[in-house]
Amino acid sequence: MRTAMAGMSRKAMGTAGGFLLMAGALVPVSHVVAATGDELFISEYVEGSGTNHAIEVFNPTDTPMSLSASGYHLEFYADGGTSVTGGVNLIGVIQPASTWVVVPTDASAELKAKANQTFAPSAFWFDGNDAVALTHSGVAIDIIGQIGFDPGTEWGTGLTSTRDNTLRRRSTVTAGDADGTDPFDPSVEWDGFATDTFDGLGSFGEPPVNEPVAITCPTELNTTQPADVAGAVSASDPDGTVVSLSVTAVTPSDPGSITVTDFTPASAVGGSATANLSVGGSTTAGSYSVTVTAANDDASPQSAACNVAVTVAPFVPAMDKLHDMVNSLVTDRAVNPAKGFLLTDRLDRAEADQAAGRADAFRAQMQAFANQVAGLSPRWITPAAAAQLTALAAEVVAEGV
Ligand SMILES: [Ca+2]
Ligand SMILES: [Ca+2]
Ligand SMILES: [Ca+2]
Ligand SMILES: [Ca+2]
């Protein structure tokens, strides 16, 4: 039965109480309810550079349409001719509220990536002054241009014209222009775009917004040699999948020790990709501006970047820090000056032993220093300052000679 029906014209099948053959399924006609329209129409027209041509057909109904079984064709009438010059049979199933894009086989790769169907360019070739028609079972249901009239170069003016432009049907349009005999003015139902505008192909009306990638990173990362430091970086795309996070620039010069580590790509559309921006403790002391870039897996990837101010302070020996602290305690009179002198003197001796590599003597001097700190009365030094001195002294011993 299916084979027999496929061979019948739509008219022969009738409508009321009959069946339409669609997408390999028999759908009772009574269930075919128009969404915003009940017949396909052309929703985008590309007459671009070189061989970049495309026609997009829209299905405004709520029913999948088998284009071949229903007998849809695109045809053109060259240069004011009144008979069909050539055309292409549409083949495939156009889903409800969806589009069907046909492109010649010799179009650019970018345009062909948008195609649902390709055709031999010799069969269907329109170049601005040729009327283009969408037909259904031999009946023209939508015509761009005026059949039998040659406008010379194009219909329309500026971007809204049929040559070297893209024409996008306004989303308020719900049906094709079935009258191919009246004058054609594309500005009535179409918006015009520059040569080789392809971003509207694949959807009716304004192309959907491609949400940008968003990236989050710390404003700054600070460390002192030889300690490493790391900060969390993450990125996401509401309608895409972030698949990379990387350091793309380091100024003034890349020391090679500022890297992205622990990278985990987003597991799905809208998910977060995460990583750490890691600064090695061996990084040359200095200030760096680090650019981290995230990208998604779109055919033409979207990306987003952030900048992190990285500061690596040079290594300061614990002995220097201890000396500075004792000196400032004395200067600020935070410790009794006489006691302060004893502490300074003890440190000077320890430092001399350290410089000379006398490890045992150095440790003995540091022990004596610690004992002096411990012996200071709270009248002379605050417990907090005493604890800090003790901790620094332990660091000095740990660093050794
Ligand atoms: Ca022509
Ligand atoms: Ca017309
Ligand atoms: Ca479109
Ligand atoms: Ca996106």
Side-chain angles (χ1 to χ4, degrees):
M1 176 175 182
R2 180 179 164 180
T3 308
M5 286 201 68
M8 297 165 72
S9 77
R10 189 174 184 241
K11 274 188 182 136
M13 285 194 288
T15 49
F19 289 84
L20 292 177
L21 183 68
M22 284 165 233
L26 288 172
V27 181
V29 166
S30 58
H31 291 182
V32 179
V33 178
T36 56
D38 55 12
E39 181 57 283
L40 309 189
F41 58 86
I42 298 173
S43 49
E44 198 144 344
Y45 165 102
V46 174
E47 207 287 323
S49 66
T51 54
N52 286 335
H53 290 67
I55 296 290
E56 176 193 81
V57 175
F58 178 63
N59 177 2
T61 76
D62 59 4
T63 310
M65 291 281 194
S66 171
L67 293 164
S68 53
S70 303
Y72 284 99
H73 303 266
L74 288 170
E75 296 170 344
F76 81 112
Y77 298 76
D79 308 333
T82 53
S83 55
V84 174
T85 311
V88 56
N89 297 332
L90 299 184
I91 296 167
V93 174
I94 181 170
Q95 297 297 327
S98 296
T99 57
W100 190 260
V101 177
V102 292
V103 170
T105 52
D106 58 354
S108 69
E110 183 191 0
L111 181 52
K112 281 210 288 186
K114 304 276 190 178
N116 299 99
Q117 178 183 342
T118 56
F119 59 87
S122 58
F124 180 51
W125 183 261
F126 52 95
D127 66 0
N129 66 336
D130 310 323
V132 172
L134 172 65
T135 69
H136 185 183
S137 301
V139 177
I141 54 172
D142 194 9
I143 297 113
I144 296 172
Q146 181 180 2
I147 296 168
F149 175 75
D150 185 347
T153 304
E154 61 189 12
W155 282 279
T157 56
L159 292 181
T160 312
S161 85
T162 51
R163 187 183 295 271
D164 296 333
N165 291 130
T166 291
L167 292 175
R168 184 177 301 153
R169 206 110 188 216
R170 295 204 186 100
S171 56
T172 49
V173 173
T174 57
D177 170 0
D179 183 355
T181 64
D182 61 342
F184 179 68
D185 176 3
S187 70
V188 175
E189 292 192 352
W190 305 79
D191 290 320
F193 297 88
T195 308
D196 290 346
T197 297
F198 304 146
D199 64 338
L201 294 173
S203 62
F204 177 47
E206 287 299 300
V209 173
N210 187 351
E211 297 289 342
V213 172
I215 186 168
T216 305
C217 58
T219 309
E220 57 181 43
L221 281 178
N222 302 312
T223 188
T224 299
Q225 296 170 336
D228 299 337
V229 67
V233 179
S234 64
S236 61
D237 178 353
D239 54 14
T241 306
V242 175
V243 293
S244 76
L245 268 173
S246 54
V247 171
T248 48
V250 180
T251 55
S253 62
D254 187 352
S257 50
I258 302 175
T259 55
V260 162
T261 57
D262 313 308
F263 172 65
T264 305
S267 58
V269 168
S272 273
T274 58
N276 283 316
L277 176 64
S278 297
V279 180
S282 62
T283 302
T284 304
S287 296
Y288 304 90
S289 176
V290 178
T291 304
V292 180
T293 303
N296 63 18
D297 63 357
D298 285 8
S300 299
Q302 292 177 291
S303 64
C306 59
N307 283 296
V308 185
V310 170
T311 304
V312 179
F315 171 73
V316 178
M319 179 64 89
D320 290 0
K321 287 188 268 185
L322 184 54
H323 251 294
D324 286 350
M325 187 177 173
V326 170
N327 289 344
S328 58
L329 285 172
V330 171
T331 305
D332 298 345
R333 306 233 159 211
V335 66
N336 177 287
K339 303 294 181 188
F341 171 76
L342 291 177
L343 292 176
T344 308
D345 181 57
R346 190 60 73 181
L347 273 192
D348 286 345
R349 293 191 205 190
E351 198 167 19
D353 289 332
Q354 188 183 38
R358 296 187 292 266
D360 290 346
F362 159 74
R363 276 194 290 273
Q365 294 295 352
M366 289 308 300
Q367 185 58 55
F369 174 86
N371 292 344
Q372 278 175 329
V373 172
L376 288 174
S377 156
R379 278 187 293 135
W380 296 326
I381 186 170
T382 66
Q388 225 178 319
L389 286 177
T390 304
L392 270 175
E395 254 186 71
V396 170
V397 173
E399 279 179 12
V401 290

mmCIF file of all heavy atoms in Angstrom, residues 30-71:
data_model
loop_
_atom_site.group_PDB
_atom_site.id
_atom_site.type_symbol
_atom_site.label_atom_id
_atom_site.label_comp_id
_atom_site.label_asym_id
_atom_site.label_seq_id
_atom_site.Cartn_x
_atom_site.Cartn_y
_atom_site.Cartn_z
ATOM 1 N N SER A 30 -6.966 14.262 9.367
ATOM 2 C CA SER A 30 -7.666 15.006 10.409
ATOM 3 C C SER A 30 -6.723 15.401 11.546
ATOM 4 O O SER A 30 -7.021 16.303 12.306
ATOM 5 C CB SER A 30 -8.819 14.170 10.973
ATOM 6 O OG SER A 30 -8.295 12.951 11.486
ATOM 7 N N HIS A 31 -5.589 14.694 11.631
ATOM 8 C CA HIS A 31 -4.630 15.029 12.694
ATOM 9 C C HIS A 31 -3.608 16.069 12.243
ATOM 10 O O HIS A 31 -2.782 16.495 13.020
ATOM 11 C CB HIS A 31 -3.887 13.774 13.158
ATOM 12 C CG HIS A 31 -4.769 12.827 13.898
ATOM 13 N ND1 HIS A 31 -4.318 11.652 14.439
ATOM 14 C CD2 HIS A 31 -6.102 12.888 14.194
ATOM 15 C CE1 HIS A 31 -5.330 11.014 15.026
ATOM 16 N NE2 HIS A 31 -6.420 11.747 14.879
ATOM 17 N N VAL A 32 -3.644 16.437 10.949
ATOM 18 C CA VAL A 32 -2.679 17.419 10.458
ATOM 19 C C VAL A 32 -3.225 18.809 10.755
ATOM 20 O O VAL A 32 -4.097 19.312 10.076
ATOM 21 C CB VAL A 32 -2.426 17.249 8.941
ATOM 22 C CG1 VAL A 32 -1.442 18.300 8.449
ATOM 23 C CG2 VAL A 32 -1.905 15.853 8.667
ATOM 24 N N VAL A 33 -2.734 19.369 11.834
ATOM 25 C CA VAL A 33 -3.211 20.688 12.245
ATOM 26 C C VAL A 33 -2.092 21.688 12.032
ATOM 27 O O VAL A 33 -0.969 21.466 12.465
ATOM 28 C CB VAL A 33 -3.632 20.680 13.729
ATOM 29 C CG1 VAL A 33 -4.089 22.068 14.156
ATOM 30 C CG2 VAL A 33 -4.721 19.643 13.955
ATOM 31 N N ALA A 34 -2.414 22.772 11.353
ATOM 32 C CA ALA A 34 -1.396 23.782 11.092
ATOM 33 C C ALA A 34 -0.928 24.412 12.396
ATOM 34 O O ALA A 34 -1.731 24.704 13.277
ATOM 35 C CB ALA A 34 -1.954 24.856 10.171
ATOM 36 N N ALA A 35 0.389 24.617 12.515
ATOM 37 C CA ALA A 35 0.914 25.337 13.665
ATOM 38 C C ALA A 35 0.751 26.826 13.393
ATOM 39 O O ALA A 35 -0.110 27.488 13.947
ATOM 40 C CB ALA A 35 2.372 24.976 13.906
ATOM 41 N N THR A 36 1.591 27.351 12.476
ATOM 42 C CA THR A 36 1.412 28.749 12.088
ATOM 43 C C THR A 36 1.096 28.846 10.609
ATOM 44 O O THR A 36 0.865 29.917 10.088
ATOM 45 C CB THR A 36 2.683 29.556 12.384
ATOM 46 O OG1 THR A 36 3.773 28.925 11.706
ATOM 47 C CG2 THR A 36 2.969 29.585 13.862
ATOM 48 N N GLY A 37 1.098 27.726 9.915
ATOM 49 C CA GLY A 37 0.801 27.726 8.493
ATOM 50 C C GLY A 37 0.590 26.284 8.079
ATOM 51 O O GLY A 37 0.825 25.365 8.849
ATOM 52 N N ASP A 38 0.131 26.071 6.861
ATOM 53 C CA ASP A 38 -0.129 24.697 6.459
ATOM 54 C C ASP A 38 0.613 24.313 5.194
ATOM 55 O O ASP A 38 0.355 23.275 4.613
ATOM 56 C CB ASP A 38 -1.634 24.453 6.305
ATOM 57 C CG ASP A 38 -2.276 25.442 5.334
ATOM 58 O OD1 ASP A 38 -1.518 26.156 4.628
ATOM 59 O OD2 ASP A 38 -3.504 25.500 5.301
ATOM 60 N N GLU A 39 1.568 25.144 4.771
ATOM 61 C CA GLU A 39 2.333 24.810 3.577
ATOM 62 C C GLU A 39 3.752 25.361 3.724
ATOM 63 O O GLU A 39 3.974 26.398 4.352
ATOM 64 C CB GLU A 39 1.648 25.408 2.338
ATOM 65 C CG GLU A 39 2.339 25.108 1.022
ATOM 66 C CD GLU A 39 2.502 23.614 0.748
ATOM 67 O OE1 GLU A 39 3.403 23.001 1.359
ATOM 68 O OE2 GLU A 39 1.738 23.074 -0.083
ATOM 69 N N LEU A 40 4.706 24.606 3.161
ATOM 70 C CA LEU A 40 6.101 25.050 3.219
ATOM 71 C C LEU A 40 6.283 26.372 2.478
ATOM 72 O O LEU A 40 5.514 26.695 1.576
ATOM 73 C CB LEU A 40 7.023 24.010 2.582
ATOM 74 C CG LEU A 40 6.915 22.548 3.036
ATOM 75 C CD1 LEU A 40 8.077 21.749 2.437
ATOM 76 C CD2 LEU A 40 6.891 22.426 4.531
ATOM 77 N N PHE A 41 7.320 27.124 2.857
ATOM 78 C CA PHE A 41 7.696 28.296 2.075
ATOM 79 C C PHE A 41 9.204 28.515 2.194
ATOM 80 O O PHE A 41 9.871 27.894 3.022
ATOM 81 C CB PHE A 41 6.897 29.549 2.483
ATOM 82 C CG PHE A 41 6.999 29.954 3.919
ATOM 83 C CD1 PHE A 41 8.032 30.765 4.372
ATOM 84 C CD2 PHE A 41 6.027 29.533 4.848
ATOM 85 C CE1 PHE A 41 8.101 31.162 5.698
ATOM 86 C CE2 PHE A 41 6.101 29.911 6.180
ATOM 87 C CZ PHE A 41 7.147 30.730 6.604
ATOM 88 N N ILE A 42 9.707 29.388 1.319
ATOM 89 C CA ILE A 42 11.149 29.666 1.314
ATOM 90 C C ILE A 42 11.442 30.662 2.438
ATOM 91 O O ILE A 42 10.800 31.711 2.536
ATOM 92 C CB ILE A 42 11.596 30.230 -0.047
ATOM 93 C CG1 ILE A 42 11.340 29.190 -1.157
ATOM 94 C CG2 ILE A 42 13.085 30.608 -0.011
ATOM 95 C CD1 ILE A 42 11.584 29.721 -2.567
ATOM 96 N N SER A 43 12.392 30.320 3.299
ATOM 97 C CA SER A 43 12.675 31.178 4.452
ATOM 98 C C SER A 43 14.020 31.896 4.342
ATOM 99 O O SER A 43 14.295 32.821 5.107
ATOM 100 C CB SER A 43 12.618 30.371 5.747
ATOM 101 O OG SER A 43 13.382 29.184 5.639
ATOM 102 N N GLU A 44 14.880 31.463 3.412
ATOM 103 C CA GLU A 44 16.144 32.191 3.236
ATOM 104 C C GLU A 44 16.670 31.924 1.826
ATOM 105 O O GLU A 44 16.486 30.827 1.274
ATOM 106 C CB GLU A 44 17.174 31.775 4.294
ATOM 107 C CG GLU A 44 18.322 32.774 4.444
ATOM 108 C CD GLU A 44 18.813 32.930 5.893
ATOM 109 O OE1 GLU A 44 18.093 32.501 6.829
ATOM 110 O OE2 GLU A 44 19.901 33.476 6.081
ATOM 111 N N TYR A 45 17.317 32.947 1.286
ATOM 112 C CA TYR A 45 17.824 32.911 -0.090
ATOM 113 C C TYR A 45 19.231 33.481 -0.047
ATOM 114 O O TYR A 45 19.441 34.586 0.453
ATOM 115 C CB TYR A 45 16.885 33.769 -0.952
ATOM 116 C CG TYR A 45 17.364 34.181 -2.322
ATOM 117 C CD1 TYR A 45 16.919 33.523 -3.469
ATOM 118 C CD2 TYR A 45 18.223 35.269 -2.490
ATOM 119 C CE1 TYR A 45 17.321 33.929 -4.748
ATOM 120 C CE2 TYR A 45 18.630 35.683 -3.761
ATOM 121 C CZ TYR A 45 18.179 35.008 -4.879
ATOM 122 O OH TYR A 45 18.575 35.418 -6.132
ATOM 123 N N VAL A 46 20.183 32.707 -0.539
ATOM 124 C CA VAL A 46 21.573 33.177 -0.556
ATOM 125 C C VAL A 46 22.047 33.239 -2.003
ATOM 126 O O VAL A 46 22.028 32.234 -2.715
ATOM 127 C CB VAL A 46 22.500 32.230 0.251
ATOM 128 C CG1 VAL A 46 23.962 32.656 0.104
ATOM 129 C CG2 VAL A 46 22.099 32.200 1.721
ATOM 130 N N GLU A 47 22.415 34.446 -2.427
ATOM 131 C CA GLU A 47 23.052 34.614 -3.729
ATOM 132 C C GLU A 47 24.362 35.305 -3.382
ATOM 133 O O GLU A 47 24.443 36.523 -3.290
ATOM 134 C CB GLU A 47 22.167 35.444 -4.668
ATOM 135 C CG GLU A 47 22.375 35.154 -6.155
ATOM 136 C CD GLU A 47 23.686 35.699 -6.696
ATOM 137 O OE1 GLU A 47 24.103 36.789 -6.282
ATOM 138 O OE2 GLU A 47 24.310 35.035 -7.546
ATOM 139 N N GLY A 48 25.368 34.492 -3.113
ATOM 140 C CA GLY A 48 26.604 35.012 -2.551
ATOM 141 C C GLY A 48 27.730 35.051 -3.554
ATOM 142 O O GLY A 48 27.532 35.080 -4.762
ATOM 143 N N SER A 49 28.940 35.026 -3.011
ATOM 144 C CA SER A 49 30.113 35.102 -3.881
ATOM 145 C C SER A 49 30.343 33.758 -4.567
ATOM 146 O O SER A 49 29.999 32.700 -4.030
ATOM 147 C CB SER A 49 31.345 35.484 -3.051
ATOM 148 O OG SER A 49 31.646 34.447 -2.140
ATOM 149 N N GLY A 50 30.929 33.832 -5.769
ATOM 150 C CA GLY A 50 31.291 32.613 -6.490
ATOM 151 C C GLY A 50 30.124 31.650 -6.597
ATOM 152 O O GLY A 50 29.053 31.997 -7.096
ATOM 153 N N THR A 51 30.317 30.447 -6.102
ATOM 154 C CA THR A 51 29.281 29.409 -6.214
ATOM 155 C C THR A 51 28.455 29.278 -4.955
ATOM 156 O O THR A 51 27.792 28.260 -4.740
ATOM 157 C CB THR A 51 29.950 28.067 -6.533
ATOM 158 O OG1 THR A 51 30.947 27.827 -5.537
ATOM 159 C CG2 THR A 51 30.606 28.078 -7.899
ATOM 160 N N ASN A 52 28.514 30.274 -4.089
ATOM 161 C CA ASN A 52 27.758 30.207 -2.828
ATOM 162 C C ASN A 52 26.300 30.600 -3.045
ATOM 163 O O ASN A 52 25.946 31.776 -3.023
ATOM 164 C CB ASN A 52 28.407 31.110 -1.771
ATOM 165 C CG ASN A 52 29.690 30.514 -1.224
ATOM 166 O OD1 ASN A 52 29.870 29.294 -1.263
ATOM 167 N ND2 ASN A 52 30.572 31.360 -0.721
ATOM 168 N N HIS A 53 25.479 29.590 -3.276
ATOM 169 C CA HIS A 53 24.047 29.779 -3.408
ATOM 170 C C HIS A 53 23.368 28.842 -2.420
ATOM 171 O O HIS A 53 23.887 27.766 -2.124
ATOM 172 C CB HIS A 53 23.566 29.425 -4.823
ATOM 173 C CG HIS A 53 24.010 30.401 -5.868
ATOM 174 N ND1 HIS A 53 25.327 30.551 -6.225
ATOM 175 C CD2 HIS A 53 23.298 31.287 -6.613
ATOM 176 C CE1 HIS A 53 25.414 31.487 -7.166
ATOM 177 N NE2 HIS A 53 24.204 31.948 -7.411
ATOM 178 N N ALA A 54 22.224 29.268 -1.915
ATOM 179 C CA ALA A 54 21.473 28.380 -1.034
ATOM 180 C C ALA A 54 20.012 28.805 -1.002
ATOM 181 O O ALA A 54 19.701 29.986 -1.140
ATOM 182 C CB ALA A 54 22.057 28.413 0.383
ATOM 183 N N ILE A 55 19.162 27.823 -0.844
ATOM 184 C CA ILE A 55 17.746 28.085 -0.585
ATOM 185 C C ILE A 55 17.383 27.311 0.674
ATOM 186 O O ILE A 55 17.717 26.132 0.822
ATOM 187 C CB ILE A 55 16.845 27.605 -1.747
ATOM 188 C CG1 ILE A 55 17.136 28.395 -3.038
ATOM 189 C CG2 ILE A 55 15.364 27.723 -1.360
ATOM 190 C CD1 ILE A 55 16.693 29.843 -3.014
ATOM 191 N N GLU A 56 16.743 28.015 1.606
ATOM 192 C CA GLU A 56 16.271 27.379 2.834
ATOM 193 C C GLU A 56 14.751 27.343 2.794
ATOM 194 O O GLU A 56 14.106 28.361 2.529
ATOM 195 C CB GLU A 56 16.746 28.188 4.041
ATOM 196 C CG GLU A 56 16.245 27.678 5.387
ATOM 197 C CD GLU A 56 16.507 28.706 6.477
ATOM 198 O OE1 GLU A 56 15.706 29.665 6.597
ATOM 199 O OE2 GLU A 56 17.512 28.580 7.184
ATOM 200 N N VAL A 57 14.189 26.156 3.038
ATOM 201 C CA VAL A 57 12.735 25.971 3.061
ATOM 202 C C VAL A 57 12.311 25.726 4.505
ATOM 203 O O VAL A 57 13.009 25.027 5.250
ATOM 204 C CB VAL A 57 12.335 24.775 2.168
ATOM 205 C CG1 VAL A 57 10.842 24.481 2.272
ATOM 206 C CG2 VAL A 57 12.722 25.058 0.715
ATOM 207 N N PHE A 58 11.188 26.322 4.882
ATOM 208 C CA PHE A 58 10.702 26.199 6.262
ATOM 209 C C PHE A 58 9.392 25.422 6.292
ATOM 210 O O PHE A 58 8.540 25.572 5.418
ATOM 211 C CB PHE A 58 10.483 27.607 6.853
ATOM 212 C CG PHE A 58 9.932 27.604 8.251
ATOM 213 C CD1 PHE A 58 10.650 27.047 9.308
ATOM 214 C CD2 PHE A 58 8.683 28.170 8.517
ATOM 215 C CE1 PHE A 58 10.145 27.061 10.604
ATOM 216 C CE2 PHE A 58 8.174 28.182 9.819
ATOM 217 C CZ PHE A 58 8.908 27.625 10.856
ATOM 218 N N ASN A 59 9.250 24.584 7.311
ATOM 219 C CA ASN A 59 8.011 23.829 7.515
ATOM 220 C C ASN A 59 7.253 24.452 8.690
ATOM 221 O O ASN A 59 7.588 24.221 9.848
ATOM 222 C CB ASN A 59 8.346 22.362 7.827
ATOM 223 C CG ASN A 59 7.108 21.526 8.122
ATOM 224 O OD1 ASN A 59 5.987 22.038 8.059
ATOM 225 N ND2 ASN A 59 7.310 20.249 8.434
ATOM 226 N N PRO A 60 6.223 25.261 8.401
ATOM 227 C CA PRO A 60 5.513 25.949 9.497
ATOM 228 C C PRO A 60 4.437 25.073 10.144
ATOM 229 O O PRO A 60 3.778 25.513 11.067
ATOM 230 C CB PRO A 60 4.859 27.131 8.776
ATOM 231 C CG PRO A 60 4.557 26.594 7.424
ATOM 232 C CD PRO A 60 5.654 25.597 7.090
ATOM 233 N N THR A 61 4.282 23.849 9.647
ATOM 234 C CA THR A 61 3.235 22.985 10.200
ATOM 235 C C THR A 61 3.765 22.217 11.405
ATOM 236 O O THR A 61 4.946 22.301 11.739
ATOM 237 C CB THR A 61 2.743 21.970 9.153
ATOM 238 O OG1 THR A 61 3.726 20.927 9.018
ATOM 239 C CG2 THR A 61 2.530 22.617 7.786
ATOM 240 N N ASP A 62 2.894 21.465 12.051
ATOM 241 C CA ASP A 62 3.346 20.652 13.181
ATOM 242 C C ASP A 62 3.521 19.190 12.760
ATOM 243 O O ASP A 62 3.457 18.288 13.579
ATOM 244 C CB ASP A 62 2.384 20.779 14.371
ATOM 245 C CG ASP A 62 0.969 20.355 14.015
ATOM 246 O OD1 ASP A 62 0.763 19.884 12.870
ATOM 247 O OD2 ASP A 62 0.069 20.497 14.861
ATOM 248 N N THR A 63 3.767 18.990 11.464
ATOM 249 C CA THR A 63 3.872 17.631 10.932
ATOM 250 C C THR A 63 5.170 17.459 10.142
ATOM 251 O O THR A 63 5.512 18.322 9.343
ATOM 252 C CB THR A 63 2.688 17.361 9.966
ATOM 253 O OG1 THR A 63 1.469 17.729 10.604
ATOM 254 C CG2 THR A 63 2.649 15.904 9.565
ATOM 255 N N PRO A 64 5.871 16.356 10.348
ATOM 256 C CA PRO A 64 7.037 16.101 9.502
ATOM 257 C C PRO A 64 6.589 15.931 8.046
ATOM 258 O O PRO A 64 5.528 15.361 7.791
ATOM 259 C CB PRO A 64 7.611 14.789 10.046
ATOM 260 C CG PRO A 64 7.008 14.629 11.399
ATOM 261 C CD PRO A 64 5.662 15.288 11.344
ATOM 262 N N MET A 65 7.360 16.466 7.111
ATOM 263 C CA MET A 65 7.009 16.371 5.696
ATOM 264 C C MET A 65 8.084 15.589 4.956
ATOM 265 O O MET A 65 9.256 15.956 5.005
ATOM 266 C CB MET A 65 6.923 17.773 5.081
ATOM 267 C CG MET A 65 5.766 18.604 5.561
ATOM 268 S SD MET A 65 4.253 18.125 4.743
ATOM 269 C CE MET A 65 3.211 19.513 5.179
ATOM 270 N N SER A 66 7.660 14.547 4.248
ATOM 271 C CA SER A 66 8.581 13.853 3.351
ATOM 272 C C SER A 66 8.607 14.641 2.042
ATOM 273 O O SER A 66 7.624 14.670 1.303
ATOM 274 C CB SER A 66 8.113 12.425 3.099
ATOM 275 O OG SER A 66 8.920 11.864 2.078
ATOM 276 N N LEU A 67 9.726 15.301 1.781
ATOM 277 C CA LEU A 67 9.793 16.225 0.653
ATOM 278 C C LEU A 67 9.632 15.508 -0.679
ATOM 279 O O LEU A 67 8.958 15.994 -1.588
ATOM 280 C CB LEU A 67 11.122 16.985 0.695
ATOM 281 C CG LEU A 67 11.263 17.935 1.892
ATOM 282 C CD1 LEU A 67 12.716 18.343 2.086
ATOM 283 C CD2 LEU A 67 10.388 19.173 1.690
ATOM 284 N N SER A 68 10.250 14.318 -0.784
ATOM 285 C CA SER A 68 10.158 13.613 -2.061
ATOM 286 C C SER A 68 8.779 12.985 -2.243
ATOM 287 O O SER A 68 8.162 13.114 -3.304
ATOM 288 C CB SER A 68 11.255 12.549 -2.160
ATOM 289 O OG SER A 68 11.217 11.714 -1.025
ATOM 290 N N ALA A 69 8.267 12.360 -1.194
ATOM 291 C CA ALA A 69 6.960 11.711 -1.316
ATOM 292 C C ALA A 69 5.867 12.727 -1.600
ATOM 293 O O ALA A 69 4.878 12.425 -2.272
ATOM 294 C CB ALA A 69 6.639 10.934 -0.038
ATOM 295 N N SER A 70 6.056 13.945 -1.065
ATOM 296 C CA SER A 70 5.037 14.970 -1.270
ATOM 297 C C SER A 70 5.274 15.761 -2.546
ATOM 298 O O SER A 70 4.461 16.612 -2.911
ATOM 299 C CB SER A 70 5.013 15.919 -0.068
ATOM 300 O OG SER A 70 4.780 15.189 1.115
ATOM 301 N N GLY A 71 6.412 15.530 -3.215
ATOM 302 C CA GLY A 71 6.655 16.166 -4.507
ATOM 303 C C GLY A 71 7.003 17.635 -4.427
ATOM 304 O O GLY A 71 6.383 18.473 -5.097
#
